[in-house]
Amino acid sequence: MPASTVQGPAPETQELWRRRLLRTLLYGQSVDRPAKSQARIGLAIAAFALCFSVIAGRLVMYAASDNTTVRRSYAADAVATARPDILDRNGEILATDVRMPSLYGEPQRIIDKDEAVELLATAIPDLDAAEVRERLSMRRRFVWLRREITPKQRQDVHRLGLPGIGFMHENKRVYPNGPLVSHLLGHVNIDNQGIAGIEKWLDSRGLADLHLAGLARDRLQRPVELAVDLRVQHAIRDELVKARTKYKALAAAGLVLDARTGEIVSMVSVPDYDPNNPREALDPTRINRLTTGVFEMGSTFKALTLAMALDSGRMNLNSMFDARVPLQYGRHTINDYRGQKRMLSMSEVFTYSSNIGTARMALALGVEHHKSFLRRLGQLDRLRTELPESAEPIVPRRWAEINTVTIAFGHGLSVAPLQAMMANAALMNGGFLIPPTFRKRSEDEAMQVATRVLKEETSEKMRYLMRLNAEKGTAKRADVDGFYVGGKTGTSEKVVNGRYARNKLLNTFTAVFPADRPRYLLLVMLDEPQAIPETHGYATSGWNAAPVAGLIIARIAPLLSITPRFDLPPAERLILASAPSPTRR
Amino acid sequence: MMRILNILVIAALVTAAAYVYKIKFESTRQAERLAKLRTEIRQEQDAIAALRAEWARLDSPARIQELADRHLKLRPIEPRQFDTLDRLPVRPPDLVPPDAADPIGSLLENPSVLELPTASIPQGRR
């Protein structure tokens, strides 16, 4: 301690240490030379110590922080952002990212343009030489020569050693199955941002924000699993494409819904497009008819009317309805297609698909009852799923009795087919309305979002009616031996210039299999199918949509692990007899 | 005394400098290796992604169906072709012990095996 030697031992050192420190650093006049020099040295030591501690501190900070420079140089290369993979329910890849080299040129740095073009053409044979020459002649610093070349071509171009030619790696969204899952998946734009379907939904879940923050560049994002089954999707698309050519239809669509979980196992709408080539999606004939279009569902809607009648408790399967004469309502006459001209029981109303019978049923219950029932089944509000594209149902503004009459048999109310299937699932699965989803969902999860809309025994009777219709009604051609199919046909005339056109039909078919223990619902829709010799000049649903549904079920039921069962008793004994409450009064 | 101390301090300084240099060199090398490995991992991941995409394309049901139609004589499975394991008939007992030296001779020795059924008819379906 140099200061203490100057001051000498003093009893008051403790009290004066502060003043003494000040004096050793900023010496006064009274201090002698050795003390001065020692104080100066002390000051120098303090200054240097400060400098070095700052340096040491910075070193520690650099060491502790991540090695950011390496990562940044790599990330700058990734022009388009990364997206998570999309898998089907079995883990098959539906969409994935692939890094593709892209070729660019810097025209100012190229020495001999003609030589460069010539050499590039040898490495990439299908390169448009004229276009490349034109691009390289532009007065710009950067021009794309070719987006997405193969690794082999990259190697070849690299070997040419041309100055002013370089590569940049980009993430490119790839859909290995082409048009197979198009409408469901949607597609991305050139910057890898989702602009339709599930891809857009992914972005809306916060991926877009991650992109903006520059965080979603990595491949380590968790893949998204969907409920769709690729094999089922293919089987349905294959059959629908065949059916579309066979019946010369404008369009065809198919949907498979899990009755117990609300999962959409398959959704096909042909004509579709290849998401690898999103320009095709702009064609308005290629829209997704199942969610983006609304349609008058025709006779398949009768199932809802019958369920309403049964659920009200005021009618049962043996209630009789007068179908002897057409129903006159103001200026309108409600007729049956090939009417029976007699009294029909409720089961017969369903199997003969009687418009008069269903209309009378709905009239007996009243407009308000009808309206609230359809609202309860979600038919009057827009159905929202993960898909951003959804259509609002077209509901009559003034709902008079005539509207109830026509809506009872599926005219005058246009809904999205997916929406109608959700209601049909509720009729089959014991009365639970489950919002459909494109993501995987277990039965327990489905029960948490489900609401009970029908009584258990109503659903039981509806299953009986659906099966009965396949046994001796209009759905006979859809019955596949072994899978106990139940179904309902629907043929509606399209509205052209405000009038129903006799020759422009929209045929639908809803099927449930197995009808005694429903697992899956199937919807087949054919837009303007034509009569062909094989159908004996008929173009109604029972002649085209129903057999297509049969073909589809025979193909997809084994894929959906439904064991075929043979020699089952008819619906009367298998479904009605097992009902928990007495069904016949 | 002071000189020895100075020499020791200088020696210590040189050693420390050499050691620090070695550590620094080593760490640079490690950092370079790390960066290289990272790049390699990224390249491998990209290659895996590309291969998986290619696999998915080759594995696409549409392509498989086309190939099967062109090259195989298989037809789609019919519902009647499915059956359950419990309807599988039991394996018939061996008429001849597998290790018999003289199969016909052992049959003659034990004539009761000849009365066993040699085929089965599935129950419930004719």
Side-chain angles (χ1 to χ4, degrees):
Chain A
M1 295 233 98
S4 62
T5 51
V6 177
Q7 287 287 325
E12 68 272 34
T13 340
Q14 288 298 315
E15 298 96 310
L16 291 174
W17 71 268
R18 203 174 288 185
R19 195 184 299 168
R20 227 170 53 227
L21 181 76
L22 202 71
R23 205 184 301 146
T24 48
L25 293 178
L26 308 162
Y27 48 86
Q29 291 267 311
S30 56
V31 182
D32 56 346
R33 275 183 76 88
K36 264 188 203 171
S37 63
Q38 272 190 336
R40 282 176 185 165
I41 291 170
L43 192 65
I45 287 175
F48 276 104
L50 194 70
C51 283
F52 277 105
S53 58
V54 166
I55 291 171
R58 289 296 291 165
L59 275 176
V60 169
M61 277 164 71
Y62 276 125
S65 73
D66 217 335
N67 201 348
T68 46
T69 48
V70 175
R71 192 177 278 178
R72 197 170 297 145
S73 69
Y74 191 84
D77 207 14
V79 179
T81 42
R83 305 178 64 79
D85 287 359
I86 301 179
L87 309 178
D88 88 332
R89 65 184 304 122
N90 303 314
E92 301 281 345
I93 295 174
L94 300 180
T96 187
D97 271 354
V98 171
R99 284 176 69 83
M100 294 274 227
S102 287
L103 192 67
Y104 69 85
E106 294 165 281
Q108 296 178 337
R109 287 185 51 206
I110 290 178
I111 302 159
D112 184 346
K113 286 189 182 67
D114 293 322
E115 188 205 9
V117 172
E118 213 167 283
L119 287 172
L120 282 177
T122 58
I124 308 171
D126 55 334
L127 197 73
D128 184 353
E131 195 197 331
V132 169
R133 185 170 291 121
E134 188 193 314
R135 286 193 170 203
L136 287 179
S137 315
M138 279 197 261
R139 300 184 127 266
R140 279 209 241 151
R141 302 186 73 174
F142 180 94
V143 284
W144 283 116
L145 296 181
R146 183 68 171 265
R147 298 293 277 267
E148 289 139 30
I149 58 174
T150 65
K152 168 104 178 35
Q153 290 172 335
R154 181 190 178 280
Q155 197 72 31
D156 291 347
V157 175
H158 188 73
R159 286 226 185 90
L160 297 175
L162 292 167
I165 301 282
F167 309 97
M168 209 179 268
H169 284 86
E170 288 185 291
N171 275 320
K172 154 93 175 145
R173 198 64 162 163
V174 174
Y175 303 91
N177 291 298
L180 191 47
V181 214
S182 49
H183 289 299
L184 207 158
L185 284 178
H187 50 269
V188 296
N189 61 11
I190 192 82
D191 292 323
N192 243 14
Q193 285 156 341
I195 50 175
I198 289 291
E199 294 278 22
K200 188 170 182 186
W201 171 75
L202 278 180
D203 280 14
S204 68
R205 277 168 77 229
L207 188 66
D209 301 336
L210 282 180
H211 281 166
L212 279 180
L215 291 173
R217 298 202 180 275
D218 224 327
R219 199 179 277 290
L220 303 170
Q221 301 172 63
R222 280 183 58 198
V224 178
E225 272 184 297
L226 298 184
V228 65
D229 187 318
L230 189 63
R231 303 164 305 168
V232 175
Q233 182 84 4
H234 167 71
I236 292 182
R237 185 169 183 273
D238 193 44
E239 292 298 336
L240 286 179
V241 168
K242 276 186 212 155
R244 190 169 156 241
T245 23
K246 183 172 172 189
Y247 301 108
K248 303 181 187 72
L250 286 183
L255 179 83
V256 177
L257 190 68
D258 190 314
R260 297 185 300 190
T261 64
E263 291 172 297
I264 295 162
V265 178
S266 171
M267 183 170 86
V268 184
S269 172
V270 283
D272 47 16
Y273 65 97
D274 188 345
N276 294 310
N277 180 15
R279 246 168 301 164
E280 289 176 7
L282 299 176
D283 184 354
T285 60
R286 298 178 193 267
I287 63 155
N288 181 2
R289 274 146 222 273
L290 294 164
T291 60
T292 354
V294 289
F295 301 94
E296 299 187 337
M297 293 301 286
S299 303
T300 46
F301 225 66
K302 284 177 187 152
L304 269 61
T305 313
L306 265 82
M308 171 177 75
L310 288 168
D311 206 53
S312 71
R314 284 161 57 186
M315 296 169 210
N316 61 37
L317 288 176
N318 296 323
S319 305
M320 299 302 282
F321 298 91
D322 187 358
R324 287 174 298 183
V325 285
L327 179 66
Q328 284 290 338
Y329 209 93
R331 294 179 292 117
H332 305 267
T333 311
I334 311 302
N335 243 316
D336 275 357
Y337 178 75
R338 293 207 281 163
Q340 298 294 306
K341 308 252 185 283
R342 61 182 172 90
M343 297 289 282
L344 297 173
S345 74
M346 191 185 276
S347 326
E348 284 170 325
V349 166
F350 196 71
T351 49
Y352 290 120
S353 196
S354 163
N355 294 342
I356 305 169
T358 32
R360 286 194 192 284
M361 227 176 270
L363 274 180
L365 290 166
V367 171
E368 278 314 308
H369 188 102
H370 193 200
K371 219 167 151 179
S372 70
F373 179 81
L374 289 181
R375 188 171 297 281
R376 191 143 51 103
L377 284 178
Q379 299 303 295
L380 305 185
D381 306 299
R382 179 183 284 212
L383 171 69
R384 299 226 178 252
T385 57
E386 286 87 355
L387 284 201
E389 303 92 5
S390 71
E392 189 144 16
I394 301 172
V395 184
R397 254 172 292 160
R398 282 187 60 251
W399 192 312
E401 279 200 331
I402 180 66
N403 299 101
T404 281
V405 166
T406 56
I407 290 169
F409 53 85
H411 287 75
L413 172 68
S414 301
V415 296
L418 178 62
Q419 197 165 15
M421 287 313 278
M422 172 179 76
N424 269 304
L427 303 188
M428 295 298 120
N429 68 9
F432 293 99
L433 189 73
I434 306 169
T437 180
F438 289 94
R439 303 175 72 193
K440 263 185 164 178
R441 182 152 76 188
S442 72
E443 247 178 278
D444 296 333
E445 287 165 348
M447 275 300 123
Q448 283 169 8
V449 292
T451 41
R452 179 172 272 289
V453 289
L454 291 170
K455 295 181 198 130
E456 174 83 49
E457 60 260 31
T458 307
S459 170
E460 200 87 45
K461 287 174 200 163
M462 287 314 298
R463 293 206 286 264
Y464 159 72
L465 286 176
M466 289 286 263
R467 175 62 196 163
L468 189 72
N469 200 28
E471 276 168 13
K472 45 188 167 189
T474 48
K476 261 180 275 185
R477 282 176 196 84
D479 193 13
V480 184
D481 200 14
F483 295 119
Y484 215 67
V485 181
K488 179 80 191 85
T489 54
T491 308
S492 57
E493 288 164 4
K494 292 216 283 194
V495 178
V496 179
N497 299 329
R499 303 189 63 125
Y500 285 105
R502 287 221 153 267
N503 54 348
K504 290 198 186 300
L505 301 178
L506 179 84
N507 288 0
T508 49
F509 186 81
T510 53
V512 56
F513 57 98
D516 55 333
R517 275 176 269 155
R519 285 290 313 279
Y520 294 99
L521 273 92
L522 168 72
L523 170 76
V524 172
M525 216 165 86
L526 294 174
D527 195 355
E528 292 187 29
Q530 306 297 316
I532 56 169
E534 201 184 310
T535 63
H536 310 290
Y538 293 107
T540 50
S541 176
W543 287 96
N544 41 48
V548 171
L551 289 172
I552 289 176
I553 291 171
R555 266 181 88 168
I556 66 171
L559 294 178
L560 293 166
S561 59
I562 291 174
T563 328
R565 294 166 299 158
F566 295 97
D567 311 319
L568 289 172
E572 196 131 342
R573 270 189 289 145
L574 189 70
I575 302 178
L576 274 194
S578 69
S581 59
T583 49
R584 307 220 151 202
R585 264 167 252 170
Chain B
M1 182 64 200
M2 204 59 189
R3 189 178 291 171
I4 293 172
L5 194 72
N6 279 346
I7 289 171
L8 277 179
V9 167
I10 289 168
L13 189 75
V14 169
T15 324
Y19 187 63
V20 166
Y21 178 77
K22 186 169 164 283
I23 287 180
K24 186 161 164 20
F25 184 75
E26 189 72 9
S27 78
T28 314
R29 220 170 56 86
Q30 295 284 359
E32 268 167 19
R33 199 166 148 255
L34 185 71
K36 204 170 144 235
L37 284 177
R38 278 219 178 108
T39 320
E40 269 172 33
I41 289 172
R42 293 300 278 266
Q43 278 171 355
E44 289 299 321
Q45 279 176 341
D46 291 342
I48 290 169
L51 288 173
R52 268 162 53 97
E54 182 67 10
W55 184 11
R57 197 184 63 76
L58 295 175
D59 210 20
S60 168
R63 181 176 170 274
I64 300 280
Q65 178 173 337
E66 194 183 300
L67 289 177
D69 284 348
R70 205 184 318 154
H71 298 293
L72 298 176
K73 285 181 185 159
L74 299 176
R75 279 183 298 127
I77 299 179
E78 315 232 328
R80 287 272 175 201
Q81 288 171 289
F82 288 89
D83 220 330
T84 52
L85 269 183
D86 50 292
R87 294 176 38 139
L88 194 71
V90 291
R91 181 184 165 181
D94 280 331
L95 292 182
V96 181
D99 50 347
D102 177 10
I104 297 171
S106 70
L107 262 184
L108 292 174
E109 270 167 39
N110 191 7
S112 67
V113 294
L114 291 175
E115 267 133 57
L116 283 168
T118 53
S120 63
I121 304 162
Q123 293 294 305
R125 202 200 295 171
R126 301 284 127 98

